[in-house]
Amino acid sequence: MAIKPILRMGHPVLSRVADPVPDPTAPEIAALVADLKDSLAAVGGTGLAAPQIGVPLRVVIFAAPAHRLTGRPDDPEQPLTAIVNPVIEPLGDAKTLGWEGCLSIPGMRGEVPRHDRIRYHGYALDGSRIDRTVGGFHARIVQHEFDHLDGLLYPARMVDMSRFGFTEEMVAAGAVAPFPQPVKAVS
C-alpha cells in the first residue's frame, strides 16, 4: 500500500495506550497491515506496531527469523505475522536480559529484561484466533512490539541505564557486538 514514516521517541502517539480494533477483518485493518509491512520492509527490522506509523490501534506485525532464535524448543521461527488486539500472559517470574533496538529510537540500543516465557493471543486478519506459548527471541520480539500498544518504549523497561547508548559508540568501544548478542538470565 504505502511506506509511512516511523515516529520517533517523543511523539505523543507513542506514549498513549492504543485503541482496540472492533473488527479485525475490516478492510481498513488489512490496509493498515499492508502499510506496516511496506514500512517495515523499507527500513528493515523484525517488527512494527501501528502506533509507530501514527495509527493508535492495537495492531502489530513481527517475525522471529531463524538467525535470531536461541535454539530452545519453545523459540520457534515465525514468518511475518499480523496480530490484532493482542494480549500477553507471562509464564513464570523468570526474565532474561537482552539487547534491543527500536525503529522509534534509531541508532540506539539498550539491555532490557523480558519475561523468559509467555503466552500470547489475539486475532489474525481473517478473524481466526492466534494463541501461542513461546520463549527466547520469539517471546522477546512479541513483548517489545506489544509494549508499543501500551505506550511503552524499551528504555522504560531498563533497569540499568548505563547499558543504554548509541549502538555505533558501544560497538566501537567493544561493549556490544555489531549484531544483537545472546540473552542472559536475570532471575
Side-chain angles (χ1 to χ4, degrees):
M1 296 285 298
I3 296 170
K4 304 290 185 179
I6 295 173
L7 304 180
R8 293 185 304 171
M9 186 168 62
H11 193 287
V13 171
L14 295 175
S15 61
R16 68 165 281 212
V17 174
D19 299 324
V21 174
D23 179 7
T25 66
E28 58 269 19
I29 300 305
L32 170 60
V33 168
D35 288 348
L36 285 166
K37 288 178 178 179
D38 288 348
S39 301
L40 183 63
V43 296
T46 56
L48 193 62
Q52 289 180 277
I53 62 167
V55 180
L57 292 175
R58 298 188 78 77
V59 179
V60 301
I61 63 170
F62 68 92
H67 72 278
R68 299 290 301 274
L69 303 178
T70 60
R72 295 169 33 168
D74 64 350
D75 192 9
E77 185 173 4
Q78 180 66 48
L80 192 62
T81 299
I83 187 165
V84 180
N85 295 333
V87 176
I88 288 180
E89 174 190 346
L91 300 176
D93 295 327
K95 292 185 177 183
T96 55
L97 280 173
W99 289 97
E100 294 185 19
C102 181
L103 297 171
S104 291
I105 312 172
M108 301 193 81
R109 198 183 304 185
E111 194 174 46
V112 183
R114 295 282 185 189
H115 290 281
D116 192 48
R117 295 188 74 243
I118 62 167
R119 175 180 173 227
Y120 67 92
H121 56 89
Y123 296 93
L125 296 179
D126 65 3
S128 63
R129 186 168 166 82
I130 295 171
D131 193 336
R132 298 185 181 115
T133 299
V134 297
F137 178 78
H138 191 138
R140 178 169 294 278
I141 187 64
V142 166
Q143 291 171 83
H144 178 105
E145 294 309 327
F146 289 14
D147 269 356
H148 283 293
L149 304 180
D150 292 328
L152 293 172
L153 297 177
Y154 75 83
R157 296 245 184 235
M158 293 180 64
V159 294
D160 181 355
M161 292 307 288
S162 73
R163 307 290 285 167
F164 178 61
F166 289 97
T167 301
E168 184 178 297
E169 296 296 328
M170 293 190 309
V171 168
V176 298
F179 298 105
Q181 296 175 323
V183 297
K184 58 186 175 187
V186 293
S187 64

